[in-house]
Amino acid sequence: DIVMTQTPLSSPVTLGQPASISCRSSQSLVQSDGNTYLSWLQQRPGQPPRLLIYKISNRFSGVPDRFSGSGAGTDFTLKISRVEAEDVGVYYCMQAKQFPLTFGGGTKVEIK
Amino acid sequence: EVQLLESGGDLVQPGGSLRLSCSASGFTFISYAMTWVRQAPGKGLEWVSTISGSGSSTYYADSVKGRFTISRDNSKNTLYLQLNSLRSEDTAVYYCAPYDRSMSYWGQGTLVTVSS
């Protein structure tokens, strides 16, 4: 199974300041078709998860451009350029290269 | 607008059974594989099972293999998850989502509580 490791566990951020979350996979996520199936999900308190980013860096419909994804191979990053109050929640990375699909343990973004 | 409505969650005793449903609308159901993901109280996300659009291929997490069965009725745009031999560690909110190598849309989930 591919293990997804996220850091940090928690990220206290000042409103308007940037935030960065790292995700590392235990093996390369590059698929034979050339795509890398790494997604980022946001889960606000009391809400279901919501897709933010797919295939490393593609923002899903309706996702603000302050969210960006980058990386390659086994190392990936989600950045929030300027944190807003509505960004509070837990963020997960997820790999879909192979079954079983696996998620990172989550990073809690909170306001200082 | 894509809508996913999970139902069927309940309080059940250890060893019991339950069937979850996910009613989908707003997209071409048969064109998408579908996935169940669960979240235990206060915990992270755990993939449970995926079924292909036709229903011919299914995949399961080791933790549920042999106990849970995923199925779909494309004529009703509905996804199912049969949960048997339930354990306390199956207590979670169960979400359904269309799967295309990402999970673009999620339902609100249905709560399964396994307790005596």
Side-chain angles (χ1 to χ4, degrees):
Chain A
D1 298 3
I2 299 176
V3 177
M4 306 297 288
T5 304
Q6 280 183 240
T7 54
L9 212 58
S10 175
S11 179
V13 185
T14 301
L15 285 173
Q17 292 301 302
S20 182
I21 300 169
S22 293
C23 176
R24 177 166 290 178
S25 57
S26 59
Q27 59 181 265
S28 172
L29 299 184
V30 180
Q31 187 72 47
S32 54
D33 62 6
N35 288 307
T36 301
Y37 296 105
L38 184 283
S39 302
W40 289 97
L41 301 145
Q42 175 197 59
Q43 188 172 32
R44 292 169 172 154
Q47 294 295 313
R50 164 199 180 200
L51 179 66
L52 294 178
I53 303 282
Y54 62 97
K55 288 196 287 186
I56 301 178
S57 59
N58 296 275
R59 268 189 305 277
F60 187 57
S61 174
V63 175
D65 61 7
R66 65 179 181 274
F67 290 95
S68 64
S70 62
T74 61
D75 288 283
F76 307 94
T77 303
L78 176 71
K79 290 182 180 175
I80 310 173
S81 59
R82 295 172 306 278
V83 172
E84 298 188 5
E86 66 178 19
D87 300 335
V88 164
V90 181
Y91 292 77
Y92 297 93
C93 59
M94 185 201 87
Q95 69 80 20
K97 178 186 180 185
Q98 64 187 48
F99 292 107
L101 308 182
T102 47
F103 296 88
T107 295
K108 188 173 187 178
V109 171
E110 50 197 359
I111 305 301
K112 275 185 191 174
Chain B
E1 180 192 3
V2 172
Q3 292 194 344
L4 300 153
L5 184 61
E6 301 95 338
S7 61
D10 204 348
L11 171 63
V12 61
Q13 292 188 339
S17 297
L18 216 51
R19 189 175 85 153
L20 307 183
S21 299
C22 168
S23 178
S25 62
F27 64 102
T28 306
F29 187 68
I30 196 171
S31 296
Y32 285 84
M34 294 293 293
T35 285
W36 287 98
V37 172
R38 68 184 180 183
Q39 186 170 37
K43 301 297 184 182
L45 301 171
E46 179 188 16
W47 171 75
V48 174
S49 184
T50 296
I51 187 168
S52 62
S54 66
S56 60
S57 298
T58 56
Y59 309 87
Y60 296 94
D62 284 346
S63 57
V64 307
K65 201 173 293 183
R67 300 188 300 122
F68 291 8
T69 302
I70 192 171
S71 63
R72 63 192 295 161
D73 185 337
N74 288 337
S75 68
K76 296 181 179 178
N77 284 5
T78 303
L79 173 72
Y80 302 101
L81 188 67
Q82 178 68 41
L83 289 65
N84 296 332
S85 303
L86 281 161
R87 307 166 179 167
S88 58
E89 55 264 36
D90 296 319
T91 294
V93 174
Y94 286 72
Y95 297 102
C96 67
Y99 175 66
D100 55 355
R101 297 295 195 115
S102 66
M103 294 174 203
S104 312
Y105 299 94
W106 296 66
Q108 290 297 314
T110 187
L111 176 62
V112 172
T113 303
V114 184
S115 175
S116 54

